[in-house]
């Protein structure tokens, strides 16, 4: 004979009570977690607002215009007439420097900056927006670059800007052919009159192509210039 299993009668009241207790516990847990979240938001947005604002400003993206490098110019014998040399300058962003006068005093002692450079920096700072860099040293020597590179971590907001500067090995002897492609003014006309000893010179408009054509016509070479310099 088959044995019939006895079915237990479900206690609905007990199940409802158990479900209610679990629902209350879950609701209390949600309330606690919500309070923790609100407290954390208050801590981040109110108490530590200044610190995180400063971090955000430090991480901001700054777009700097970078001019293209100018090409070298050679004469017909392959001698360089115009070249580019690397130059390092020391720049300060006033908005990112705390206690700027004290930093200037420290940099003056560290790098041997003159009082004239400090005065020129203060004058330029008044004419420049606080978030833009202001040049403190226009041309740094190798010793200044090395000393500041070692101590750069102590001066936030102060950095070295490296760029290429135009250099003419033969000075003014050839720069009038290489570096002037704009309109001639009255001062230039007077200078030309003194050089070529002419009475009347019209006001021509120079262009890059015109200047290059003149250079090609005279077949510019440094050999006669070197003879004149000797």
């Amino acid at each position: 004979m088959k044995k019939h299993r006895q079915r237990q009668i479900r206690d609905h009241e007990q199940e409802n009570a158990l479900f209610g207790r679990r629902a209350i516990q879950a609701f209390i847990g949600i309330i606690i977690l919500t309070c923790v979240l609100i407290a954390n938001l208050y801590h981040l947005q109110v108490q530590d607002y200044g610190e995180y604002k400063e971090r955000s400003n430090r991480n901001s993206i700054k777009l700097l215009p970078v001019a293209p490098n100018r090409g070298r110019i050679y004469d017909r014998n392959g001698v360089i007439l115009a070249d580019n040399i690397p130059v390092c300058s020391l720049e300060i962003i006033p908005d990112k420097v705390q206690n700027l006068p004290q930093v200037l005093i420290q940099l003056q002692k560290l790098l041997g900056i003159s009082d004239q450079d400090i005065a020129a920096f203060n004058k330029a700072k008044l004419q420049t927006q606080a978030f833009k860099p202001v040049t403190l040293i226009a041309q740094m020597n190798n010793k200044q670059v090395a000393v500041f590179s070692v101590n750069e971590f102590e001066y936030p907001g102060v950095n070295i800007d490296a760029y290429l500067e135009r250099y003419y090995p033969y000075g003014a002897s050839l720069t009038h052919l290489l570096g002037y492609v704009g309109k001639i003014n009255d001062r230039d006309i007077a200078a030309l009159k003194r050089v070529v000893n002419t009475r009347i010179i019209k006001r021509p408009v120079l262009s890059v192509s015109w200047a290059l054509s003149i250079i090609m016509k005279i077949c510019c070479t440094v050999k006669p210039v070197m003879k004149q310099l000797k």
Side-chain angles (χ1 to χ4, degrees), residues 134-153:
V134 181
T135 301
L136 178 60
I137 304 177
Q139 293 185 350
M140 304 177 66
N141 55 41
N142 294 333
K143 181 179 179 180
Q144 289 176 329
V145 173
V147 172
F148 181 78
S149 298
V150 174
N151 300 275
E152 185 175 4
F153 68 96

Side-chain angles (χ1 to χ4, degrees), residues 65-206:
V66 179
N69 297 332
R70 301 176 65 182
R72 294 178 176 177
I73 299 179
Y74 299 84
D75 76 330
R76 62 180 179 178
N77 297 318
V79 180
I80 291 181
L81 305 180
D83 198 2
N84 299 317
I85 57 174
V87 176
C88 294
S89 63
L90 188 66
E91 296 182 344
I92 298 178
I93 302 178
D95 196 27
K96 294 186 177 181
V97 177
Q98 296 181 356
N99 197 357
L100 182 58
Q102 182 65 27
V103 172
L104 290 177
I105 294 175
Q106 295 176 358
L107 290 176
Q108 187 175 16
K109 295 179 180 179
L110 181 66
L111 303 177
I113 304 174
S114 63
D115 295 334
Q116 291 78 6
D117 292 336
I118 298 295
F121 170 81
N122 292 326
K123 182 179 179 180
K125 181 173 68 68
L126 297 176
Q127 302 173 355
T128 307
Q129 295 178 347
F131 59 88
K132 291 185 177 181
V134 181
T135 301
L136 178 60
I137 304 177
Q139 293 185 350
M140 304 177 66
N141 55 41
N142 294 333
K143 181 179 179 180
Q144 289 176 329
V145 173
V147 172
F148 181 78
S149 298
V150 174
N151 300 275
E152 185 175 4
F153 68 96
E154 297 180 357
Y155 301 97
V158 184
N159 61 284
I160 296 176
D161 180 32
Y163 60 95
L164 295 177
E165 187 178 68
R166 202 62 166 170
Y167 170 67
Y168 299 95
Y170 298 95
S173 300
L174 295 177
T175 51
H176 61 289
L177 296 174
L178 302 174
Y180 195 88
V181 291
K183 295 181 179 180
I184 293 181
N185 54 31
D186 296 334
R187 181 179 178 183
D188 296 330
I189 293 177
L192 287 175
K193 286 181 179 180
R194 291 194 299 269
V195 173
V196 299
N197 195 20
T198 58
R199 296 181 179 178
I200 300 176
I201 298 180
K202 296 182 180 180
R203 185 191 294 268
V205 177
L206 300 184

